[in-house]
Amino acid sequence: MDHLVSPSLLAADFGNLQKEVLMLNKSQADWIHLDIMDGLFVPNISFGFPVMEFVKKASEKPLDVHLMIVDPDRFISRFHEAGASVLTVQYEACTHLHRTVTEIRRLGMKAGVALNPHTPVSLLQNILPFIDMVLIMTVNPGFGGQSFIMESYGKITELRKMIDSGAFNVLIEVDGGIDTKNAARLTAAGVNVLVAGNSVFRAPDPTDIIRKLKSLEI
Ligand code: DX5
Ligand code: ZN
């Protein structure tokens, strides 16, 4: 399949959120990535349901929601009601991950599992049959605008082999420090979904960067 592009709203201008979402609607973006941070799992707080519900109303694209929160089970149905199509939880925040992803799917959303940079992909072996996506964090979660961790390529290659050898229907998403310079190498390594925050929203022409991330033109 062709890879997908999921611009991360965290880097958007929140004073002009409507304009930013309309720009994404007109662009080649496939999904809109929403980062939910609770100040506990990560040392930052982003935004919550009122913002997400507004984005849902304005957006024509599926919402790709990345929960960086402890005990995400408390809020799965709220995120479903608020319009999430893809709901990703952090591996490190879930004691009963199978229960969590089963509930996400039961509500009709795609279930994703995100790994911090230190968490090995081998830990996913027994959950791959039950999920739709793995998000490999290519920076430490909590902030936009950080540098891509080069060692992530090894994790992507290893995960791609695990998925292919088991013929699992699981997408690989990467998040953190993604730009037009590393996008082609990432998709060649087997990535299916590129999340990009600062490289899109801080560019003079965000629509053109999204086009380049789709076409892999540098
Ligand atoms: C970081 C978030 C990312 C962030 C990426 O914790 O999960 O989605 O918005 O931002 P950039 O692309 O600027 O690294
Ligand atoms: Zn994210």
Side-chain angles (χ1 to χ4, degrees):
M1 68 169 251
D2 284 346
H3 67 277
L4 307 178
V5 174
S6 187
S8 172
L9 265 197
L10 192 64
D13 174 1
F14 280 73
N16 288 293
L17 197 50
Q18 173 117 10
K19 204 172 126 231
E20 300 280 50
V21 176
L22 295 180
M23 178 278 290
L24 294 177
N25 284 347
K26 289 202 197 108
S27 77
Q28 292 182 53
D30 297 281
W31 295 347
I32 300 182
H33 187 84
L34 297 172
D35 289 302
I36 310 292
M37 305 179 184
D38 66 354
L40 287 171
F41 183 76
V42 287
N44 198 7
I45 295 175
S46 56
F47 50 81
F49 295 112
V51 171
M52 183 174 159
E53 282 156 1
F54 169 77
V55 174
K56 177 66 189 169
K57 260 189 236 147
S59 166
E60 292 166 5
K61 316 261 171 158
L63 303 189
D64 168 32
V65 180
H66 176 194
L67 301 185
M68 284 158 276
I69 66 174
V70 297
D71 197 5
D73 295 11
R74 295 170 295 159
F75 294 110
I76 293 172
S77 61
R78 286 287 309 275
F79 281 105
H80 176 244
E81 286 158 21
S85 293
V86 185
L87 193 62
T88 296
V89 294
Q90 287 280 155
Y91 177 90
E92 303 81 5
C94 297
T95 310
H96 299 283
L97 184 59
H98 179 270
R99 180 181 289 149
T100 305
V101 295
T102 302
E103 178 62 7
I104 293 172
R105 281 179 145 188
R106 190 185 70 77
L107 291 169
M109 297 176 282
K110 282 189 193 304
V113 176
L115 297 185
N116 275 341
H118 72 276
T119 306
V121 292
S122 57
L123 289 172
L124 295 173
Q125 190 65 56
N126 298 101
I127 202 72
L128 285 177
F130 305 101
I131 64 177
D132 303 290
M133 188 169 84
V134 175
L135 192 176
I136 298 206
M137 283 307 302
T138 45
V139 298
N140 282 296
F143 303 93
Q146 303 179 78
S147 302
F148 179 88
I149 298 173
M150 292 301 281
E151 286 74 9
S152 308
Y153 286 112
K155 289 177 79 172
I156 294 160
T157 306
E158 190 184 340
L159 178 61
R160 172 47 59 206
K161 275 194 205 135
M162 284 166 66
I163 292 172
D164 290 350
S165 67
F168 298 114
N169 194 11
V170 173
L171 300 172
I172 302 179
E173 181 174 60
V174 285
D175 183 7
I178 310 301
D179 56 25
T180 52
K181 291 187 211 75
N182 54 25
R185 184 171 168 196
L186 287 163
T187 55
V191 166
N192 307 105
V193 189
L194 299 169
V195 175
N198 277 259
S199 66
V200 167
F201 287 99
R202 302 293 154 97
D205 186 351
T207 308
D208 192 51
I209 299 295
I210 294 169
R211 185 186 63 74
K212 287 182 171 143
L213 289 169
K214 266 310 260 188
S215 66
L216 300 178
E217 177 194 305
I218 310 237

